[in-house]
């Protein structure tokens, strides 16, 4: 059974996330479970997520899901914008709500951290050579 599309292609916040995510070496985009997923060999970010609250899913349509270091995850969870997403949260992923006025340098840093954890040493070396 196919998942319904759970995002608006015209969403300007998605456009900004997409531009940041696709700037990483060999990054691509696919639709996974109805949401945009950014990947190389493995997914390093999703746009949109959810949390199960009292048996029902609460959507966070404008959020970025990333895989960060455990210490950074603990610090981020103290921020009201952050949440433990359904399904992926058990594997260390975190959701960060985003908006037009978000700190886009911070969002890029989170994407960078997640990319580095999933992309493999060759791609990380290419990324490091860019700076």
């Amino acid at each position: 059974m196919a998942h319904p599309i759970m995002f608006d292609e015209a969403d300007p916040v998605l456009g900004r996330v997409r531009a940041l995510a696709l700037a990483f070496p060999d990054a691509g985009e696919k639709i996974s479970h109805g949401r945009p997923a950014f990947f190389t060999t493995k997914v390093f970010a999703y746009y949109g997520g959810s949390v199960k609250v009292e048996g029902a899913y609460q959507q966070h349509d404008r959020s970025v899901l990333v895989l960060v270091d455990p210490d950074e995850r603990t610090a981020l969870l103290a921020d009201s914008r952050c949440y433990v997403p359904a399904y992926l949260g058990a594997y260390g992923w975190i959701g960060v709500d985003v908006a037009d006025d978000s700190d886009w340098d911070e969002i890029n840093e989170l994407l960078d951290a997640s990319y580095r954890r999933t992309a493999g040493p060759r791609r990380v070396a290419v990324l490091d050579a860019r700076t």
Side-chain angles (χ1 to χ4, degrees), residues 16 20 102-112:
R16 290 191 77 172
L20 292 173
S102 290
D103 179 345
W104 289 97
D105 289 335
E106 177 191 30
I107 300 305
N108 194 48
E109 288 173 12
L110 293 169
L111 291 168
D112 181 88

Side-chain angles (χ1 to χ4, degrees), residues 61-121:
D61 292 330
R62 284 182 143 189
S63 67
V64 176
L65 276 58
V66 290
L67 182 62
V68 295
D69 293 325
D71 291 341
E72 188 174 0
R73 184 176 191 262
T74 300
L76 285 167
L77 286 175
D79 186 323
S80 63
R81 300 170 302 145
C82 299
Y83 65 95
V84 177
Y87 304 107
L88 295 173
Y91 301 98
W93 289 73
I94 189 167
V96 181
D97 289 324
V98 291
D100 292 319
D101 63 349
S102 290
D103 179 345
W104 289 97
D105 289 335
E106 177 191 30
I107 300 305
N108 194 48
E109 288 173 12
L110 293 169
L111 291 168
D112 181 88
S114 191
Y115 179 90
R116 290 174 183 279
R117 292 202 61 197
T118 62

Side-chain angles (χ1 to χ4, degrees), residues 8-27:
D8 178 0
E9 187 63 47
D11 179 357
V13 174
L14 169 58
R16 290 191 77 172
V17 170
R18 179 179 280 141
L20 292 173
L22 294 178
F24 289 97
D26 299 327

Side-chain angles (χ1 to χ4, degrees), residues 40-75:
T40 57
T41 303
K42 297 178 182 178
V43 172
F44 67 90
Y46 294 90
Y47 183 71
S50 63
V51 177
K52 196 167 191 178
V53 178
E54 297 179 9
Y57 287 98
Q58 180 182 69
Q59 300 300 314
H60 288 256
D61 292 330
R62 284 182 143 189
S63 67
V64 176
L65 276 58
V66 290
L67 182 62
V68 295
D69 293 325
D71 291 341
E72 188 174 0
R73 184 176 191 262
T74 300

